């Protein structure tokens, strides 16, 4: 157990104490796109349902990851995020409430996890005198927000949002 400790009374003198940390469980897997191509540099995060522990790591060039230091038993939600894709949870879900929990020690390898595609939203930000460059644009869809800026011609593109109703808004100096 990660939270066990021993209270030692030192009185008025110094005391040497040694601490031995348990290894914990590990969780591995491989993340791919819908075509089966491995995705590199995906941030994989494991959160305990108790709310006391979370661990994270990143995928390598083969899309593989290993998260270490998990409690010997417990339920965990697993999320993945990489640019161009919506934040999502294991079990093909864009929301943690609909995700599949992983129980240690029952599961130690997720196998191949295919990330769901997201949607992209694009457009032009204009003012009374025409397109506005360097405007900050935020786009909301499916409970997530993506942020981007307009280019020199006022165009923007926000990628990696979950499907759903979309709301966009922008701000720029002087507007």
């Amino acid at each position: 157990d990660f939270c066990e400790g021993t209270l030692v009374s030192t009185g008025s003198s110094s005391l040497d104490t040694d601490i031995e940390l348990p290894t914990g469980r590990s969780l591995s897997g491989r993340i791919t796109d819908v075509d089966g191509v491995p995705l590199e540099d995906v941030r994989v995060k494991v959160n305990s349902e108790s709310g006391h522990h979370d661990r994270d790591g990143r995928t390598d060039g083969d899309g593989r990851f290993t998260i270490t230091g998990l409690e010997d038993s417990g339920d965990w939600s697993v999320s993945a995020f990489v640019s161009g894709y919506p934040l999502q949870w294991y079990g093909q879900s864009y929301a943690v409430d609909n995700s599949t929990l992983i129980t240690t020690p029952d599961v130690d390898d997720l196998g191949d996890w295919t990330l769901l595609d997201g949607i992209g939203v694009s457009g032009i930000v204009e003012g009374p005198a025409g397109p506005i460059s360097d405007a900050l644009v935020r786009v909301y869809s499916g409970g997530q927000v993506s942020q981007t800026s307009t280019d020199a011609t006022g165009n923007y593109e926000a990628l990696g949002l979950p499907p759903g109703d979309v709301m966009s808004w922008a701000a720029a100096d002087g507007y």
Side-chain angles (χ1 to χ4, degrees), residues 6-174:
T6 302
L7 180 62
V8 178
S9 176
T10 63
S12 61
S13 62
S14 296
L15 176 71
D16 288 331
T17 77
D18 296 330
I19 299 172
E20 184 177 332
L21 294 175
T23 303
R25 299 278 180 183
S26 64
L27 181 67
S28 300
R30 187 173 83 114
I31 297 183
T32 65
D33 68 11
V34 294
D35 295 321
V37 177
L39 294 174
E40 184 175 7
D41 204 31
V42 177
R43 181 175 185 228
V44 180
K45 188 172 182 182
V46 181
N47 292 75
S48 69
E49 284 300 292
S50 68
H52 298 296
H53 302 284
D54 65 316
R55 304 284 186 264
D56 67 347
R58 294 199 176 267
T59 58
D60 63 17
D62 293 324
R64 299 195 180 284
F65 68 90
T66 299
I67 309 293
T68 59
L70 304 179
E71 295 173 24
D72 283 336
S73 63
D75 292 331
W76 303 83
S77 62
V78 185
S79 62
F81 177 77
V82 65
S83 181
Y85 288 82
L87 173 64
Q88 50 199 280
W89 282 263
Y90 184 71
Q92 301 298 97
S93 176
Y94 296 113
V96 68
D97 295 342
N98 300 326
S99 67
T100 301
L101 293 178
I102 302 303
T103 301
T104 54
D106 298 343
V107 176
D108 62 359
D109 189 347
L110 297 179
D112 283 356
W113 176 5
T114 301
L115 292 189
L116 300 168
D117 279 333
I119 63 169
V121 177
S122 61
I124 299 174
V125 176
E126 296 181 305
I132 299 173
S133 63
D134 296 320
L136 176 66
V137 180
R138 291 186 175 103
V139 182
Y140 172 90
S141 178
Q144 298 181 30
V145 176
S146 180
Q147 180 174 299
T148 189
S149 296
T150 58
D151 64 15
T153 61
N155 289 295
Y156 73 90
E157 184 176 40
L159 301 173
L161 288 158
D165 294 336
V166 173
M167 180 172 59
S168 302
W169 64 100
D173 290 339

